[in-house]
Amino acid sequence: MLDKIQQLMVEVDQLQAATAEEVEALRIKYLSKKGCIPALMADFRNVPAEQKKEVGMRINTLKQAALDKINSLRDAAQVAVTAGPDIDLTRTPYPVRLGTRHPLTIVKNEIVDIFARLGFTLAEGPEVEDDWHVYSSMNFADDHPARDMQDTFFVEAHPDIILRSHTSSVQARVMEQQQPPIRVICPGRVYRNEAISARAHCFFHQVEGLYIDRNVSFTDLKQVLLLFAQEMFGPDTKIRLRPSYFPFTEPSAEMDISCHLCGGEGCSFCKHTGWVEILGCGMVDPAVLEANGIDSSVYTGYAFGMGIERITNLKYQVKDLRMFSENDTRFLSEFTSAN
Ligand code: PHE
């Protein structure tokens, strides 16, 4: 046995191979399941007990030497190939694995696309904002609780500079730069100082819409939102508006859609009500128009805002909000989009 090991040791040391195929043949000969080194190992149980220790050590040394040698031959063969004159080094290696779009991006694109077809243009603005654009211009009273530290992230040492808590700030920026007609859709990330759990996060994403022109009415708002709901959740979707309150709209409403999982029959998803809430909306408060330089005796407008996570959850039933920011590719690769 010891002789055999010694002989193989010499053999391994002198191995030569020019191509990857030759290297593979050597690997099969020496190291594969039926190769001669594993065969030695199988014979190990026949070695007399007093020799077991030495033989065992030598076999292990031999196996390691064979592995090292074959690996270095493989590397050398690889270098020889890539350095060869006929190889196109610019060719894309196969297989090419394309990533997937993030589910929130897919849903955001879908929402923006629906409103783009209705004539809305895209507007974006900064995530680090000043108090005026986030709150004051939106008719939030000085002591409104949303301004509280519990809800708002402040940039240290600048009480006026905050992380925006809704994308209405983008609407303020559009209004101060442009006179009606205004028809914009504003997607973006927003921040709220909440404890992170399956149902809440310290940041999430919104899409808000704003339409200001002469004679814009609540009926226009309702029609656009019905169309959106049916495009997003299917042609049989019904909507329901419930009275609500926002500082920047009057009247204000929250919109539910008929539960698309049970068709409105009632299920655990809609808590057996047949309806699920999807967005807030209303007619822009004249005080907001005036604060942003728009004559409220001439123009009226509507606004609406929704959470992209919420819409995504309704579409795909993602149970835990944290999944959206964990970057687990097993989760992310479950979502596909056409573009
Ligand atoms: N800005 C509101 C929010 O963040 C949403 C909203 C926008 C409601 C426009 C009504 C009109 O909750």
Side-chain angles (χ1 to χ4, degrees), residues 118-253:
L118 292 168
F120 285 78
T121 48
L122 197 73
E124 283 174 316
E127 291 178 18
V128 181
E129 259 293 6
D130 51 34
D131 178 278
W132 168 258
H133 290 98
V134 178
Y135 293 129
S136 298
S137 70
M138 285 291 142
N139 203 33
F140 281 76
D142 284 344
D143 56 356
H144 193 284
R147 292 172 182 257
D148 210 302
M149 273 172 66
Q150 266 100 40
D151 281 340
T152 307
F153 283 115
F154 292 85
V155 174
E156 224 176 325
H158 287 280
D160 191 45
I161 307 293
I162 57 179
L163 298 184
R164 68 181 179 195
S165 56
H166 58 178
T167 44
S168 302
S169 54
V170 183
Q171 309 186 356
R173 287 189 175 271
V174 171
M175 286 188 269
E176 73 187 3
Q177 276 165 21
Q178 193 186 326
Q179 282 297 306
I182 291 173
R183 190 157 25 186
V184 288
I185 189 96
C186 320
R189 179 174 293 170
V190 300
Y191 300 82
R192 289 186 195 175
N193 194 356
E194 304 220 16
I196 297 171
S197 71
R199 299 173 57 85
H201 212 301
C202 58
F203 63 81
F204 62 100
H205 300 78
Q206 284 189 326
V207 175
E208 294 205 9
L210 173 71
Y211 178 36
I212 305 174
D213 205 344
R214 289 169 201 268
N215 300 322
V216 176
S217 71
F218 202 90
T219 318
D220 299 324
L221 169 64
K222 221 171 128 182
Q223 198 54 41
V224 158
L225 293 180
L226 174 64
L227 207 136
F228 164 71
Q230 294 186 336
E231 288 281 307
M232 198 74 199
F233 295 100
D236 297 331
T237 310
K238 295 189 197 59
I239 63 167
R240 160 175 104 166
L241 291 160
R242 283 177 289 106
S244 184
Y245 172 78
F246 299 103
F248 34 87
T249 46
E250 181 58 37
S252 305

Side-chain angles (χ1 to χ4, degrees), residues 14-135:
Q14 290 170 355
L15 290 180
Q16 302 280 0
T19 64
E21 288 76 24
E22 287 176 25
V23 176
E24 180 59 9
L26 291 177
R27 190 194 64 78
I28 291 170
K29 180 169 170 202
Y30 288 95
L31 290 168
S32 71
K33 261 198 194 137
K34 295 196 175 128
C36 48
I37 295 176
L40 277 182
M41 290 171 148
D43 260 359
F44 185 70
R45 61 189 146 83
N46 301 325
V47 172
E50 68 278 11
Q51 285 184 26
K52 270 199 156 59
K53 189 171 171 206
E54 182 174 7
V55 171
M57 269 163 44
R58 297 261 196 123
I59 293 182
N60 278 338
T61 315
L62 170 66
K63 186 179 167 198
Q64 194 55 49
L67 263 174
D68 292 348
K69 179 76 184 186
I70 285 172
N71 282 340
S72 76
L73 286 174
R74 186 180 292 120
D75 289 347
Q78 184 69 26
V79 170
V81 168
T82 47
D86 299 333
I87 301 296
D88 178 2
L89 293 177
T90 62
R91 227 182 97 181
T92 318
Y94 286 95
V96 180
R97 282 198 55 214
L98 270 188
T100 49
R101 284 199 197 285
H102 193 282
L104 295 178
T105 307
I106 296 174
V107 171
K108 180 199 82 179
N109 287 348
E110 225 175 302
I111 298 170
V112 170
D113 201 55
I114 293 170
F115 285 105
R117 276 184 267 137
L118 292 168
F120 285 78
T121 48
L122 197 73
E124 283 174 316
E127 291 178 18
V128 181
E129 259 293 6
D130 51 34
D131 178 278
W132 168 258
H133 290 98
V134 178
Y135 293 129

